[in-house]
Amino acid sequence: MSTVEERVKKIVCEQLGVKESEVQSTSSFVEDLGADSLDTVELVMALEEEFETEIPDEEAEKLTTVKDAVDYIESHSS
Amino acid sequence: MLEGQVVLVTGASRGIGSAILERFASAGATVIGTATSESGASAIAGRISENGWQGDGVVMNVGDAESVTEGIKTIGQKFGPPTVLVNNAGVTRDGLAMRMKPDDWDEVINTNLSAVYRTSQAVLKGMMKARTGRIINLSSVVARMGNAGQMNYAASKAGIEGMTRSLAREVASRGITVNAIAPGFIETDMTRELDESQRDAMLSAIPAGRLGEAGEVADLAVFLASEGAAYINGETIHVNGGMYMN
């Protein structure tokens, strides 16, 4: 079973079309990985699907780095 | 020409929607037509199988969010996510503005305009993933010209044109186009109900001197869904025999 971080990184690579080596835990989706606003919406939707959770808009806005996403999912999964 | 495309046409029982279903099916697409009743949906399904087309009829009330979500889920499971959405379903509740009832306003806005928001949102996820897709919205010439007795209908159609342009800007970078077709007077059950004097008055305003055929609208929808139309985006194209020119 992959860790949450591995699964998040895999989704980030798929959605943003970046290589796994480019994705660090501190990478910012917009500044480091070149995501535009539509990419971030798609990314959040992909995370919701993968982890079977719903991320409210006001929380989704705060997820700017890989670590933010991992922390959010870990603290919101049972 | 459109083999492998999964085309969802709302309001496909009669008139323009029915013609759109037929032209897409003839172009090789898998076609799914919606109707508000079970009997309507099975009539569409029957027509599809009689003609040897690929596809099905589905019950969907575009005025109801849950019905749209459920319907699109069912289609996705059976045929895969729609690659082309034709928002055709529409109603009229005509009456002069001074006497228009709130229900007549609300129903037209909900069924004609809010429905386009619901269905478009529901299919966009699949299109974004696929990095391609076509949304084609049926407007009307009255969106631009206005029409006495159709304040609600004209507002809903003008709203569709604004939605078309906004959505086109949002999703263009993902290979998705969103366009509108604005038919003028087309031979349908609705226009056949008019009496001779109304018909004559209508014809005198149309340079072509005749009403349009539903197929003449449907052919444009097929073109907009084709690869050749990939660079047309956010546009409203009029099909009205010259009755209204931009």
Side-chain angles (χ1 to χ4, degrees):
Chain A
M1 187 70 183
S2 321
T3 65
V4 169
E5 179 158 349
E6 284 164 356
R7 288 161 74 193
V8 169
K9 281 184 176 169
K10 187 164 172 275
I11 286 171
V12 169
C13 291
E14 280 169 11
Q15 286 296 330
L16 305 182
V18 291
K19 290 196 202 83
E20 214 154 332
S21 58
E22 296 173 59
V23 183
Q24 306 300 317
S25 146
T26 53
S27 301
S28 155
F29 301 132
V30 175
E31 277 150 39
D32 300 323
L33 304 175
D36 64 17
S37 60
L38 200 53
D39 287 321
T40 56
V41 170
E42 279 187 275
L43 185 59
V44 167
M45 287 171 75
L47 290 170
E48 286 179 329
E49 201 168 300
E50 169 75 17
F51 295 99
E52 291 173 355
T53 179
E54 198 155 307
I55 307 174
D57 285 347
E58 60 272 22
E59 294 293 335
E61 276 170 26
K62 296 183 205 150
L63 308 182
T64 60
T65 67
V66 174
K67 186 175 183 304
D68 291 341
V70 172
D71 289 348
Y72 179 87
I73 287 152
E74 282 179 339
S75 63
H76 287 82
S77 55
S78 44
Chain B
M1 185 168 100
L2 294 176
E3 282 81 9
Q5 302 288 334
V6 176
V7 182
L8 173 59
V9 183
T10 66
S13 294
R14 288 175 292 133
I16 292 172
S18 168
I20 289 174
L21 194 83
E22 181 206 315
R23 296 292 162 104
F24 271 102
S26 305
T30 297
V31 289
I32 296 104
T34 78
T36 48
S37 66
E38 280 290 348
S39 60
S42 47
I44 293 171
R47 195 168 155 232
I48 288 170
S49 62
E50 271 166 33
N51 286 287
W53 301 335
Q54 301 289 320
D56 204 356
V58 170
V59 179
M60 189 190 287
N61 173 10
V62 295
D64 179 71
E66 210 166 298
S67 172
V68 169
T69 313
E70 276 307 303
I72 292 190
K73 210 166 115 190
T74 310
I75 294 162
Q77 286 161 351
K78 202 164 168 193
F79 300 102
T83 57
V84 179
L85 167 66
V86 183
N87 282 305
N88 166 75
V91 294
T92 54
R93 294 287 178 270
D94 297 350
L96 293 176
M98 297 274 294
R99 303 278 293 168
M100 186 173 284
K101 301 281 180 285
D103 282 353
D104 293 335
W105 172 265
D106 289 341
E107 191 183 348
V108 169
I109 296 297
N110 183 45
T111 307
N112 295 7
L113 179 60
S114 305
V116 177
Y117 148 72
R118 292 183 195 107
T119 54
S120 301
Q121 194 176 53
V123 301
L124 267 175
K125 205 170 167 185
M127 291 180 180
M128 298 274 285
K129 261 192 190 158
R131 291 290 189 266
T132 181
R134 296 281 193 271
I135 297 178
I136 299 161
N137 298 321
L138 269 290
S139 180
S140 163
V141 68
V142 307
R144 299 282 174 91
M145 288 183 75
N147 197 17
Q150 290 200 308
M151 180 175 71
N152 47 4
Y153 185 76
S156 72
K157 294 302 188 181
I160 283 177
E161 294 184 12
M163 273 177 72
T164 298
R165 292 188 282 271
S166 298
L167 187 55
R169 284 184 186 275
E170 282 192 25
V171 298
S173 66
R174 300 302 191 268
I176 302 166
T177 70
V178 188
N179 291 291
I181 299 175
F185 286 115
I186 305 297
E187 289 277 8
T188 61
D189 292 349
M190 197 174 78
T191 47
R192 272 189 287 272
E193 274 171 24
L194 301 171
D195 65 37
E196 203 160 323
S197 68
Q198 286 172 313
R199 219 182 151 83
D200 287 347
M202 202 164 72
L203 286 175
S204 70
I206 305 171
R210 66 174 179 88
L211 270 62
E213 300 289 335
E216 292 174 307
V217 177
D219 282 340
L220 175 58
V222 170
F223 171 66
L224 286 173
S226 73
E227 196 47 47
Y231 206 55
I232 301 173
N233 210 351
E235 194 55 72
T236 297
I237 301 177
H238 289 259
V239 183
N240 60 32
M243 176 187 170
Y244 174 84
M245 302 178 192
N246 272 306

